[in-house]
Amino acid sequence: MASNSEGFSTRAIHAGQDPLQWTHCSVIPPIVMSTTFRQDAPAEHRGFEYGRSGNPTRKVLETCLSALEDGKHGFVFSSGLGASTVITCLLDSEDHIVSGDDIYGGTNRYFQKCLSKQNIAVTFVDATDIKNILNGINPNTKMVWLESPTNPLLKLVDIKEATEAIKKINSSIIVVVDNTFLTSYFQLPLNLGADIVVYSLTKYMNGHSDIIMGAAITNNDDLAAKIGFLQNAMGIVPSPFDCAMVNRSLKTLELRMQQHMKNGLAIAKFLEKHALVEKVMHPYLPSHPQYKLALKQSSGHSGMVSFYLKGDSQKFLKSLKLFTLAESLGGYESLAELPSIMTHASVPEEAREKLGITNQLIRLSVGLESEKDLIDDLDQALKACQ
Ligand code: P1T
């Protein structure tokens, strides 16, 4: 078994994977498809009873994920939004959430269109300034929801300072950080004070754009008991096959993230110098207003790069050849999209305008192709969009 003092890839490859846990000692964890498990006597089982409440393949992945996060308890769900749904079900009717205003469009839609029906209100604030978070807190506030870096504008929130300030006002407020854009390889929100880390595993953690899944990880035993209950009671669980796929992908997470960082930063630097580019957002560019914070709270950045284009964005996106025009991110293949009418179309127009999610804002998920080919592709598409 890997321990948390071991390196990242050692944990990714060994945590939860011990062959001795299986009678046949398979080195690669088996995909256990059985939906039910034999009991020795009524209600007496050997760790697993019914596939929704627990599954051996799922357990392997949950153990590995929590080891990577320096966390105690990991739970996986059938999508990232499924994980978010379960976490917000920790709250009661009339409770209140303060959320960063620049978050994934689907999370925004879930907050505004679904949670509101359960009488849970969400106040959206510019969380880059901690004062705004604190001003949003009222006596009913039970949760603060943060993305850092944010989707799609790649703004940062000082997770440690924000959490400390929030807990000073009310220590029972649950601080949730969506760490999808960086993964546990580059940022560990639990170690910065967050109570729960949430993931769309669909993105970098799986990294091959072939699985939709989510996760929640916590060190808090009480929250873990509640999340484990909800995982079973709400039934938003993934298939054993999908768990095996993500578990396999984690073995190369370190390698993939290093290459995403390298390619993404090279592209950000290329775009920053280009005459047809108005502004580039990448936390590891010294021009990023929170560059110092990026260095302080993370050890790198993924392949996410956003920029404002001076040319025709439709023409630009249609001219790309290697970058595929598609939603999502975090796979080995490069993607490009227009958040205003794609991933963030469900954010109310007024909020989009205020945030700067305009029709000139392009979001890239830089993949693992050869750097020069990616730059050449962007270069030809920029020429074509003048
Ligand atoms: O798609 P799903 O696995 O349900 O994850 C939702 C989600 C949660 N959090 C963040 C930060 C996300 O980016 C997402 C999904 N995002 C996209 C599909 C996208 O293109 O931005």
Side-chain angles (χ1 to χ4, degrees), residues 79-81 104 147 151 178 180 200 202-203 328-329 343 363:
S79 68
L81 269 181
Y104 168 53
E147 272 183 25
N151 182 358
D178 184 331
T180 297
S200 169
T202 316
K203 317 302 181 208
S328 202
L329 59 113
T343 50
R363 192 190 75 182

Side-chain angles (χ1 to χ4, degrees), residues 7-40:
F8 189 85
S9 280
T10 305
R11 281 176 279 144
I13 291 169
H14 292 288
Q17 321 284 310
D18 187 357
L20 291 174
Q21 71 192 293
W22 320 108
T23 51
H24 54 278
C25 291
S26 71
V27 174
I28 303 305
I31 302 175
V32 178
M33 293 297 286
S34 185
T35 54
T36 190
F37 298 85
R38 177 194 171 275
Q39 308 203 0
D40 295 326

Side-chain angles (χ1 to χ4, degrees), residues 346-361:
S346 57
V347 176
E349 197 181 335
E350 219 184 279
R352 274 202 317 264
E353 264 169 33
K354 201 170 143 226
L355 285 166
I357 304 177
T358 66
N359 290 336
Q360 296 307 114
L361 177 74

Side-chain angles (χ1 to χ4, degrees), residues 57-359:
T57 315
R58 191 169 98 199
K59 184 90 197 128
V60 165
L61 173 62
E62 290 175 334
T63 305
C64 191
L65 285 171
S66 44
L68 293 183
E69 207 65 42
D70 253 353
K72 263 169 86 179
H73 310 279
F75 302 91
V76 289
F77 304 93
S78 53
S79 68
L81 269 181
S84 305
T85 302
V86 165
I87 292 169
T88 54
C89 277
L90 292 166
L91 305 185
D92 293 319
S93 171
E94 316 236 322
D95 284 351
H96 171 251
I97 298 177
V98 175
S99 169
D101 55 5
D102 187 34
I103 56 171
Y104 168 53
T107 310
N108 183 304
R109 178 181 54 204
Y110 169 68
F111 284 167
Q112 305 223 39
K113 303 269 189 223
C114 305
L115 266 190
S116 55
K117 288 197 182 149
Q118 294 168 41
N119 236 345
I120 295 175
V122 182
T123 302
F124 294 94
V125 300
D126 175 359
T128 58
D129 185 343
I130 292 168
K131 276 196 252 79
N132 296 332
I133 304 177
L134 304 185
N135 287 340
I137 292 175
N138 69 41
N140 291 341
T141 305
K142 297 287 163 59
M143 187 172 277
V144 171
W145 193 280
L146 303 171
E147 272 183 25
S148 182
T150 60
N151 182 358
L153 292 163
L154 300 171
K155 293 191 271 190
L156 306 185
V157 182
D158 190 325
I159 298 169
K160 189 162 185 278
E161 290 209 352
T163 307
E164 276 170 15
I166 293 161
K167 301 278 178 183
K168 254 186 219 156
I169 293 185
N170 179 350
S171 62
S172 69
I173 292 176
I174 302 167
V175 178
V176 181
V177 175
D178 184 331
N179 204 31
T180 297
F181 269 32
L182 288 193
T183 80
S184 38
Y185 182 64
F186 282 139
Q187 180 168 272
L188 292 169
L190 296 180
N191 289 352
L192 298 170
D195 297 296
I196 301 173
V197 174
V198 64
Y199 280 109
S200 169
L201 296 176
T202 316
K203 317 302 181 208
Y204 288 103
M205 299 290 264
N206 183 56
H208 294 70
S209 301
D210 51 9
I211 296 292
I212 300 275
M213 256 178 80
I217 299 138
T218 182
N219 277 323
N220 181 311
D221 297 339
D222 181 43
L223 287 176
K226 288 178 180 156
I227 295 169
F229 168 80
L230 291 170
Q231 183 191 39
N232 179 43
M234 294 174 73
I236 311 178
V237 293
S239 82
F241 179 81
D242 289 1
C243 292
M245 294 285 273
V246 177
N247 183 59
R248 183 178 72 163
S249 297
L250 291 178
K251 311 305 174 243
T252 55
L253 183 61
E254 175 166 5
L255 292 171
R256 287 187 283 108
M257 292 314 285
Q258 285 175 351
Q259 194 62 27
H260 280 298
M261 161 86 176
K262 196 170 157 284
N263 279 357
L265 193 55
I267 281 173
K269 286 180 180 163
F270 162 77
L271 290 171
E272 200 167 42
K273 283 197 228 116
H274 202 285
L276 273 182
V277 174
E278 181 86 48
K279 186 180 168 196
V280 182
M281 279 79 79
H282 185 296
Y284 275 71
L285 280 179
S287 59
H288 190 287
Q290 295 164 298
Y291 175 60
K292 281 200 182 126
L293 175 57
L295 297 182
K296 185 180 93 170
Q297 76 177 6
S298 64
S299 55
H301 183 69
S302 61
M304 299 310 294
V305 182
S306 297
F307 67 98
Y308 289 103
L309 182 69
K310 285 186 193 157
D312 181 329
S313 50
Q314 291 276 344
K315 254 195 209 163
F316 170 77
L317 288 165
K318 284 198 237 159
S319 304
L320 290 166
K321 294 191 171 88
L322 259 187
F323 279 83
T324 303
L325 173 58
E327 300 197 4
S328 202
L329 59 113
Y332 54 73
E333 76 297 347
S334 292
L335 302 178
E337 67 121 3
L338 198 58
S340 60
I341 55 171
M342 293 172 68
T343 50
H344 291 71
S346 57
V347 176
E349 197 181 335
E350 219 184 279
R352 274 202 317 264
E353 264 169 33
K354 201 170 143 226
L355 285 166
I357 304 177
T358 66
N359 290 336

